[in-house]
Amino acid sequence: MENYKKARIVEQPFPCPYPGLASDTPEVRVKDGSKIRNLMGFAMGRMEPDTCRQILFSGAGKSIAKAITCTEILKRRMRGLHQYTQLLYRTVHEVWEPLEPAAGLDSLTVSRNVPAICVLLSKDPLDNTQPGYQAPGSFNTLWVQASREEEEEAGQGQRRKRGAGRGKGGSGRQGGCREYSKKDYR
């Protein structure tokens, strides 16, 4: 491969894994470089008014974790959302061109199957017999504890937490440096 350079990547679109989904359902395509703040702004803007009842998040490869994070944030901000999760593969074609075309080398096309995820969030009840269904309000204990702490902080007002950070002039050794005494220099 030292005689080739990657010219382009062609991602094959995969069909929607949810049959019967309305064509006007917004889809949030999460990419590797997408900012969660921008994705959440788009999703919240669509889901808050009652005009939109469902939203679809999709991500492939390295962006799967970011897509899951976005769905969990949206479920936490908007209670009562039903969820379908579908795992699948997306085909990606990489086209490699030769560095020296005069050498007689042909261009190469490499096909890879990349894992992908599609998550459908809905305000309306979904069929709970389908695989990948998650009911609203099925939070684990970590989410319940975090929401209680948020409610307590909101009730007490916003207080600033003070930590014991290592600022300039702080006590303690920094970065594992050894402290020397006068005995060491004799």
Side-chain angles (χ1 to χ4, degrees):
M1 294 305 281
E2 64 270 0
N3 296 327
Y4 288 91
K5 65 178 178 180
K6 191 183 298 187
R8 65 185 177 276
I9 298 174
V10 180
E11 294 182 3
Q12 298 295 323
F14 55 87
C16 181
Y18 306 108
L21 189 63
S23 62
D24 63 341
T25 302
E27 180 181 359
V28 180
R29 290 188 183 133
V30 180
K31 299 287 184 182
D32 210 16
S34 301
K35 301 234 183 273
I36 292 179
R37 180 182 318 155
N38 296 341
L39 297 170
M40 293 311 302
F42 175 80
M44 292 295 290
R46 295 288 194 267
M47 289 295 284
E48 280 183 346
D50 282 335
T51 58
C52 180
R53 305 294 296 167
Q54 296 178 334
I55 192 164
L56 181 68
F57 284 90
S58 64
K62 295 179 183 178
S63 63
I64 289 177
K66 196 174 284 190
I68 293 171
T69 300
C70 289
T71 58
E72 293 299 324
I73 290 171
L74 188 62
K75 283 176 23 182
R76 188 170 181 192
R77 288 186 183 170
M78 299 185 72
R79 303 288 176 151
L81 293 177
H82 298 263
Q83 174 181 338
Y84 275 154
T85 304
Q86 185 81 27
L87 299 174
L88 46 115
Y89 287 96
R90 168 180 254 170
T91 303
V92 176
H93 298 293
E94 295 177 350
V95 179
W96 293 76
E97 298 290 333
L99 291 174
E100 298 178 21
L105 298 173
D106 294 332
S107 62
L108 298 176
T109 302
V110 179
S111 297
R112 295 186 301 134
N113 286 329
V114 179
I117 191 168
C118 284
V119 180
L120 176 68
L121 295 176
S122 175
K123 293 178 183 178
D124 301 324
L126 299 171
D127 183 16
N128 60 0
T129 60
Q130 293 292 324
Y133 174 76
Q134 187 174 353
S138 58
F139 298 109
N140 61 14
T141 57
L142 176 68
W143 285 108
V144 172
Q145 181 182 359
S147 65
R148 285 185 193 150
E149 290 174 1
E150 284 179 2
E151 290 172 3
E152 289 175 6
E153 287 179 7
Q156 296 174 357
Q158 295 290 339
R159 276 197 260 166
R160 185 174 174 172
K161 294 182 181 179
R162 296 181 184 224
R166 291 185 180 172
K168 190 173 182 180
S171 62
R173 294 189 320 190
Q174 304 231 346
C177 295
R178 182 172 176 221
E179 295 180 15
Y180 294 98
S181 64
K182 288 186 179 181
K183 292 180 190 177
D184 294 332
Y185 290 110
R186 290 185 196 172

